[in-house]
Amino acid sequence: MTQSNLKIAITGGIGSGKSEVCSIIERAGFPVFSCDEIYFELLNGGTFDNDLKNTFGEQIYIDGKLDKSKLSSIVFEDKEELEKLNKITHSKILDCAFERMKAQKLCFLEVPLLFESGFERLFDGVIVVLRNLDDRIQSIVKRSGISTKEAILRIKSQFDYENCDLTKYYVIHNNSNLEHLSQRVTEILKDMVKS
């Protein structure tokens, strides 16, 4: 990885610990960007409004503002609806992210739906964060305040990381403590910097 402007994707299922991995990388001094943060910026800027209204109807807006929980309940219960949302948002989010990343030598982008969209080919490397199912469910319920059933629905709506070939990517098994997670992330960063 000797070229300049290396773009590394960080991905994994909901509740796997991607955000914690990103925090560790940031604390190590590397720039980390987030597709979710860019998505919310673009939502709040009204970038997607017309497309979202045309696709999902006016009912996802209350007093002119997008009701994110209404939109979430629509897309996480129906894969076709989720695909419609992804089609509207993904390319604009990535364009914005790559614009921000272009001045960096080595930088990272948290991309929750990397493989679903086939975007892995756009990056110089990929870090995949895996975690056992029970811990993921607990994490989602605690963070989002939703039921176990809703958490499982969200997990099932996503890419199946457990049954795909991840051998050409950096894989982090986030099933231990924070110290173990930090050690694994540090190993990966050292490998990226020296190669």
Side-chain angles (χ1 to χ4, degrees), residues 1 19 22-23 27-28 33 42-43 48-49 56 58 68 75 77 82 95 101 103 107 114 118 168:
M1 293 193 179
S19 296
C22 289
S23 295
R27 286 195 297 272
F33 301 90
L42 294 174
L43 273 183
F48 303 127
D49 281 353
F56 301 106
E58 295 278 345
K68 294 179 189 110
V75 300
E77 289 173 17
L82 183 59
D95 286 348
M101 295 169 82
C107 56
L114 183 79
K168 59 183 173 182

Side-chain angles (χ1 to χ4, degrees), residues 3-38:
Q3 72 195 77
S4 59
N5 189 228
L6 288 169
K7 294 187 278 295
I8 310 296
I10 300 168
T11 196
I14 185 172
S16 61
K18 296 182 299 296
S19 296
E20 191 57 55
V21 168
C22 289
S23 295
I24 294 165
I25 292 170
E26 269 187 317
R27 286 195 297 272
F30 296 95
V32 179
F33 301 90
S34 163
C35 281
D36 283 348
E37 285 175 15
I38 293 168

Side-chain angles (χ1 to χ4, degrees), residues 106-123:
L106 171 61
C107 56
F108 298 81
L109 178 65
E110 184 181 352
V111 189
L113 303 175
L114 183 79
F115 294 113
E116 291 93 326
S117 310
F119 290 146
E120 68 276 10
R121 69 192 188 289
L122 303 176
F123 291 85

Side-chain angles (χ1 to χ4, degrees), residues 55-119:
T55 306
F56 301 106
E58 295 278 345
Q59 80 273 5
I60 62 167
Y61 284 80
I62 295 173
D63 298 326
K65 287 196 86 168
L66 177 67
D67 184 331
K68 294 179 189 110
S69 62
K70 270 190 184 177
L71 181 60
S72 292
S73 67
I74 292 168
V75 300
F76 284 118
E77 289 173 17
D78 186 330
K79 276 194 171 176
E80 284 182 20
E81 296 299 313
L82 183 59
E83 282 171 24
K84 287 178 192 173
L85 176 65
N86 292 342
K87 221 175 204 174
I88 292 168
T89 59
H90 279 186
S91 60
K92 288 177 185 169
I93 293 167
L94 269 190
D95 286 348
C96 188
F98 285 164
E99 183 62 30
R100 294 175 187 191
M101 295 169 82
K102 71 181 182 185
Q104 310 294 334
K105 187 175 179 185
L106 171 61
C107 56
F108 298 81
L109 178 65
E110 184 181 352
V111 189
L113 303 175
L114 183 79
F115 294 113
E116 291 93 326
S117 310
F119 290 146

